[in-house]
Amino acid sequence: MTATQSNPRQPISLYTGGALFGLPDASPFCIKAEVQLKMAGVPYVKAQGMPDQGPKGQIPYIEDEGRRLGDSTFIRAHIEKTYGVDLDAGLTPQQRALSWTIERLLENQLYWTVVYSRWLIPENFAKGPAQFFNRVPEAVRETLRQQVLERVTNNVRAAGPGRHSDAEIADLCDRSLSALSLLLGDQPYFMGERATAVDATALGVLASLLTPYFDTEVRRRVLKYPNLLAYTDRLMAEFYPDFAWEPAVAAAA
């Protein structure tokens, strides 16, 4: 990407965790932020970031002309205001309201299922998040690993999924997935013929649920919805054409 003549600003620095678990980024929110930057046509460069370096103690975060901003929703607001773009251009007020509602379902319910599946299922934790601590000095590695696991467990419990059984979590997600499938229908994107902001959010969460790196009941539930699988594969090809994504449609065959 290169800056246009009408926009001489330096490229935004986007700080993410990097490709992991068969995904362009381990965090759905990092995928969301990057895809929205691509949708906006705003020049950016990616850099490795650590949550404690971000202004909100999380990734993604950006640096733009010396200013650091965190949280994907506020990153989008900054991009739209600063660069004069509207990722939802052409949508009616009702469509914008529906788009926001879908985003909240994805981020406030299904995202926590992603966290639950990675951190609270022991075999997934062992092959996934537990590896984050491998570079920590051995003397404190296991203590830190357990401390962070306890903190995440408390967060997942506060968010809801941590209070339920695996079957209950899968059933709740199935209701949300069914709703998403019905809302998408046979459209190429959630709001119709053009990708809008909500599609970036949906790609991040759905790809995170579908990665074959983790074996989960919720992944098996997603595989029941052909239009969600085709949608995820299509958006991965559109926004990450060089990434070796394992097609979800093939996995369901």
mmCIF file of all heavy atoms in Angstrom, residues 128-151:
data_model
loop_
_atom_site.group_PDB
_atom_site.id
_atom_site.type_symbol
_atom_site.label_atom_id
_atom_site.label_comp_id
_atom_site.label_asym_id
_atom_site.label_seq_id
_atom_site.Cartn_x
_atom_site.Cartn_y
_atom_site.Cartn_z
ATOM 1 N N GLY A 128 -2.216 -24.513 22.686
ATOM 2 C CA GLY A 128 -2.396 -23.135 22.245
ATOM 3 C C GLY A 128 -1.845 -22.114 23.216
ATOM 4 O O GLY A 128 -0.627 -21.881 23.268
ATOM 5 N N PRO A 129 -2.702 -21.466 24.009
ATOM 6 C CA PRO A 129 -2.256 -20.375 24.863
ATOM 7 C C PRO A 129 -1.124 -20.721 25.821
ATOM 8 O O PRO A 129 -0.323 -19.842 26.171
ATOM 9 C CB PRO A 129 -3.529 -19.999 25.636
ATOM 10 C CG PRO A 129 -4.637 -20.392 24.727
ATOM 11 C CD PRO A 129 -4.168 -21.637 24.038
ATOM 12 N N ALA A 130 -1.023 -21.967 26.266
ATOM 13 C CA ALA A 130 0.062 -22.333 27.184
ATOM 14 C C ALA A 130 1.424 -22.060 26.563
ATOM 15 O O ALA A 130 2.405 -21.790 27.282
ATOM 16 C CB ALA A 130 -0.060 -23.805 27.579
ATOM 17 N N GLN A 131 1.485 -22.117 25.228
ATOM 18 C CA GLN A 131 2.757 -21.909 24.546
ATOM 19 C C GLN A 131 3.201 -20.447 24.559
ATOM 20 O O GLN A 131 4.353 -20.143 24.263
ATOM 21 C CB GLN A 131 2.665 -22.416 23.106
ATOM 22 C CG GLN A 131 2.219 -23.857 22.976
ATOM 23 C CD GLN A 131 3.075 -24.819 23.775
ATOM 24 O OE1 GLN A 131 4.307 -24.772 23.706
ATOM 25 N NE2 GLN A 131 2.431 -25.676 24.559
ATOM 26 N N PHE A 132 2.273 -19.532 24.879
ATOM 27 C CA PHE A 132 2.631 -18.115 24.942
ATOM 28 C C PHE A 132 3.739 -17.861 25.962
ATOM 29 O O PHE A 132 4.446 -16.857 25.881
ATOM 30 C CB PHE A 132 1.419 -17.259 25.340
ATOM 31 C CG PHE A 132 0.296 -17.243 24.332
ATOM 32 C CD1 PHE A 132 -0.988 -16.890 24.725
ATOM 33 C CD2 PHE A 132 0.504 -17.568 23.007
ATOM 34 C CE1 PHE A 132 -2.038 -16.863 23.811
ATOM 35 C CE2 PHE A 132 -0.530 -17.552 22.083
ATOM 36 C CZ PHE A 132 -1.806 -17.190 22.493
ATOM 37 N N PHE A 133 3.869 -18.753 26.939
ATOM 38 C CA PHE A 133 4.760 -18.508 28.068
ATOM 39 C C PHE A 133 6.108 -19.210 27.912
ATOM 40 O O PHE A 133 6.917 -19.189 28.839
ATOM 41 C CB PHE A 133 4.074 -18.964 29.365
ATOM 42 C CG PHE A 133 2.732 -18.342 29.578
ATOM 43 C CD1 PHE A 133 1.579 -18.959 29.107
ATOM 44 C CD2 PHE A 133 2.607 -17.118 30.217
ATOM 45 C CE1 PHE A 133 0.329 -18.376 29.281
ATOM 46 C CE2 PHE A 133 1.368 -16.532 30.397
ATOM 47 C CZ PHE A 133 0.216 -17.153 29.930
ATOM 48 N N ASN A 134 6.356 -19.796 26.766
ATOM 49 C CA ASN A 134 7.577 -20.567 26.588
ATOM 50 C C ASN A 134 8.850 -19.732 26.687
ATOM 51 O O ASN A 134 9.924 -20.270 26.995
ATOM 52 C CB ASN A 134 7.546 -21.309 25.247
ATOM 53 C CG ASN A 134 6.574 -22.477 25.264
ATOM 54 O OD1 ASN A 134 6.070 -22.875 26.308
ATOM 55 N ND2 ASN A 134 6.293 -23.025 24.088
ATOM 56 N N ARG A 135 8.746 -18.440 26.422
ATOM 57 C CA ARG A 135 9.926 -17.581 26.487
ATOM 58 C C ARG A 135 10.127 -16.967 27.867
ATOM 59 O O ARG A 135 11.120 -16.269 28.102
ATOM 60 C CB ARG A 135 9.831 -16.479 25.434
ATOM 61 C CG ARG A 135 9.866 -17.011 23.995
ATOM 62 C CD ARG A 135 9.871 -15.875 22.985
ATOM 63 N NE ARG A 135 9.891 -16.388 21.618
ATOM 64 C CZ ARG A 135 9.908 -15.608 20.535
ATOM 65 N NH1 ARG A 135 9.888 -14.282 20.661
ATOM 66 N NH2 ARG A 135 9.928 -16.158 19.328
ATOM 67 N N VAL A 136 9.199 -17.229 28.757
ATOM 68 C CA VAL A 136 9.342 -16.736 30.135
ATOM 69 C C VAL A 136 10.391 -17.591 30.844
ATOM 70 O O VAL A 136 10.468 -18.806 30.608
ATOM 71 C CB VAL A 136 7.981 -16.829 30.859
ATOM 72 C CG1 VAL A 136 8.121 -16.450 32.335
ATOM 73 C CG2 VAL A 136 6.958 -15.939 30.169
ATOM 74 N N PRO A 137 11.219 -17.007 31.709
ATOM 75 C CA PRO A 137 12.216 -17.801 32.445
ATOM 76 C C PRO A 137 11.574 -19.009 33.119
ATOM 77 O O PRO A 137 10.493 -18.898 33.706
ATOM 78 C CB PRO A 137 12.770 -16.813 33.472
ATOM 79 C CG PRO A 137 12.623 -15.484 32.793
ATOM 80 C CD PRO A 137 11.344 -15.574 32.007
ATOM 81 N N GLU A 138 12.226 -20.138 33.012
ATOM 82 C CA GLU A 138 11.645 -21.392 33.476
ATOM 83 C C GLU A 138 11.249 -21.350 34.944
ATOM 84 O O GLU A 138 10.254 -21.969 35.349
ATOM 85 C CB GLU A 138 12.622 -22.534 33.237
ATOM 86 C CG GLU A 138 12.036 -23.904 33.506
ATOM 87 C CD GLU A 138 12.982 -25.021 33.131
ATOM 88 O OE1 GLU A 138 14.067 -24.726 32.591
ATOM 89 O OE2 GLU A 138 12.628 -26.198 33.365
ATOM 90 N N ALA A 139 11.990 -20.610 35.756
ATOM 91 C CA ALA A 139 11.733 -20.578 37.196
ATOM 92 C C ALA A 139 10.352 -20.028 37.534
ATOM 93 O O ALA A 139 9.778 -20.382 38.569
ATOM 94 C CB ALA A 139 12.810 -19.760 37.903
ATOM 95 N N VAL A 140 9.827 -19.153 36.679
ATOM 96 C CA VAL A 140 8.531 -18.524 36.964
ATOM 97 C C VAL A 140 7.481 -18.869 35.922
ATOM 98 O O VAL A 140 6.344 -18.421 36.014
ATOM 99 C CB VAL A 140 8.670 -16.986 37.059
ATOM 100 C CG1 VAL A 140 9.592 -16.594 38.207
ATOM 101 C CG2 VAL A 140 9.171 -16.401 35.734
ATOM 102 N N ARG A 141 7.862 -19.682 34.932
ATOM 103 C CA ARG A 141 6.980 -19.940 33.784
ATOM 104 C C ARG A 141 5.636 -20.540 34.196
ATOM 105 O O ARG A 141 4.574 -20.029 33.841
ATOM 106 C CB ARG A 141 7.670 -20.861 32.786
ATOM 107 C CG ARG A 141 6.877 -21.100 31.506
ATOM 108 C CD ARG A 141 7.636 -22.049 30.598
ATOM 109 N NE ARG A 141 8.967 -21.522 30.319
ATOM 110 C CZ ARG A 141 10.008 -22.287 29.997
ATOM 111 N NH1 ARG A 141 9.872 -23.600 29.930
ATOM 112 N NH2 ARG A 141 11.182 -21.738 29.742
ATOM 113 N N GLU A 142 5.670 -21.620 34.952
ATOM 114 C CA GLU A 142 4.436 -22.309 35.293
ATOM 115 C C GLU A 142 3.563 -21.471 36.216
ATOM 116 O O GLU A 142 2.335 -21.462 36.090
ATOM 117 C CB GLU A 142 4.727 -23.664 35.929
ATOM 118 C CG GLU A 142 3.491 -24.540 36.102
ATOM 119 C CD GLU A 142 2.756 -24.807 34.791
ATOM 120 O OE1 GLU A 142 3.423 -24.871 33.733
ATOM 121 O OE2 GLU A 142 1.518 -24.951 34.815
ATOM 122 N N THR A 143 4.185 -20.740 37.136
ATOM 123 C CA THR A 143 3.411 -19.870 38.031
ATOM 124 C C THR A 143 2.673 -18.805 37.233
ATOM 125 O O THR A 143 1.472 -18.565 37.438
ATOM 126 C CB THR A 143 4.336 -19.211 39.062
ATOM 127 O OG1 THR A 143 4.935 -20.225 39.869
ATOM 128 C CG2 THR A 143 3.547 -18.257 39.962
ATOM 129 N N LEU A 144 3.383 -18.168 36.304
ATOM 130 C CA LEU A 144 2.763 -17.123 35.486
ATOM 131 C C LEU A 144 1.681 -17.712 34.606
ATOM 132 O O LEU A 144 0.592 -17.127 34.456
ATOM 133 C CB LEU A 144 3.821 -16.426 34.635
ATOM 134 C CG LEU A 144 3.316 -15.290 33.733
ATOM 135 C CD1 LEU A 144 2.672 -14.192 34.568
ATOM 136 C CD2 LEU A 144 4.461 -14.726 32.886
ATOM 137 N N ARG A 145 1.935 -18.880 34.029
ATOM 138 C CA ARG A 145 0.953 -19.537 33.175
ATOM 139 C C ARG A 145 -0.349 -19.781 33.938
ATOM 140 O O ARG A 145 -1.441 -19.507 33.441
ATOM 141 C CB ARG A 145 1.538 -20.854 32.663
ATOM 142 C CG ARG A 145 0.649 -21.604 31.691
ATOM 143 C CD ARG A 145 1.325 -22.898 31.265
ATOM 144 N NE ARG A 145 2.366 -22.667 30.284
ATOM 145 C CZ ARG A 145 3.550 -23.274 30.260
ATOM 146 N NH1 ARG A 145 3.857 -24.148 31.198
ATOM 147 N NH2 ARG A 145 4.422 -23.018 29.303
ATOM 148 N N GLN A 146 -0.247 -20.269 35.158
ATOM 149 C CA GLN A 146 -1.435 -20.554 35.947
ATOM 150 C C GLN A 146 -2.129 -19.277 36.402
ATOM 151 O O GLN A 146 -3.365 -19.226 36.487
ATOM 152 C CB GLN A 146 -1.067 -21.433 37.143
ATOM 153 C CG GLN A 146 -0.643 -22.841 36.758
ATOM 154 C CD GLN A 146 -1.680 -23.550 35.893
ATOM 155 O OE1 GLN A 146 -2.876 -23.526 36.196
ATOM 156 N NE2 GLN A 146 -1.234 -24.193 34.816
ATOM 157 N N GLN A 147 -1.359 -18.238 36.695
ATOM 158 C CA GLN A 147 -1.958 -16.969 37.099
ATOM 159 C C GLN A 147 -2.783 -16.366 35.966
ATOM 160 O O GLN A 147 -3.904 -15.892 36.184
ATOM 161 C CB GLN A 147 -0.863 -15.991 37.528
ATOM 162 C CG GLN A 147 -0.231 -16.305 38.872
ATOM 163 C CD GLN A 147 0.926 -15.378 39.200
ATOM 164 O OE1 GLN A 147 1.455 -14.675 38.326
ATOM 165 N NE2 GLN A 147 1.325 -15.368 40.467
ATOM 166 N N VAL A 148 -2.237 -16.398 34.758
ATOM 167 C CA VAL A 148 -2.966 -15.844 33.621
ATOM 168 C C VAL A 148 -4.181 -16.712 33.298
ATOM 169 O O VAL A 148 -5.266 -16.194 33.002
ATOM 170 C CB VAL A 148 -2.041 -15.711 32.398
ATOM 171 C CG1 VAL A 148 -2.835 -15.237 31.180
ATOM 172 C CG2 VAL A 148 -0.908 -14.748 32.692
ATOM 173 N N LEU A 149 -4.016 -18.026 33.377
ATOM 174 C CA LEU A 149 -5.151 -18.918 33.139
ATOM 175 C C LEU A 149 -6.269 -18.637 34.132
ATOM 176 O O LEU A 149 -7.459 -18.605 33.742
ATOM 177 C CB LEU A 149 -4.705 -20.372 33.241
ATOM 178 C CG LEU A 149 -5.817 -21.432 33.126
ATOM 179 C CD1 LEU A 149 -6.558 -21.304 31.794
ATOM 180 C CD2 LEU A 149 -5.230 -22.831 33.281
ATOM 181 N N GLU A 150 -5.935 -18.418 35.380
ATOM 182 C CA GLU A 150 -6.960 -18.117 36.382
ATOM 183 C C GLU A 150 -7.663 -16.794 36.064
ATOM 184 O O GLU A 150 -8.886 -16.687 36.182
ATOM 185 C CB GLU A 150 -6.327 -18.050 37.770
ATOM 186 C CG GLU A 150 -7.336 -17.771 38.882
ATOM 187 C CD GLU A 150 -6.702 -17.755 40.261
ATOM 188 O OE1 GLU A 150 -5.489 -18.017 40.366
ATOM 189 O OE2 GLU A 150 -7.421 -17.467 41.235
ATOM 190 N N ARG A 151 -6.885 -15.797 35.624
ATOM 191 C CA ARG A 151 -7.481 -14.502 35.293
ATOM 192 C C ARG A 151 -8.423 -14.628 34.096
ATOM 193 O O ARG A 151 -9.539 -14.076 34.106
ATOM 194 C CB ARG A 151 -6.376 -13.481 35.009
ATOM 195 C CG ARG A 151 -6.900 -12.076 34.769
ATOM 196 C CD ARG A 151 -5.815 -11.034 34.898
ATOM 197 N NE ARG A 151 -4.820 -11.136 33.832
ATOM 198 C CZ ARG A 151 -3.553 -11.444 34.007
ATOM 199 N NH1 ARG A 151 -3.098 -11.712 35.226
ATOM 200 N NH2 ARG A 151 -2.717 -11.497 32.988
#
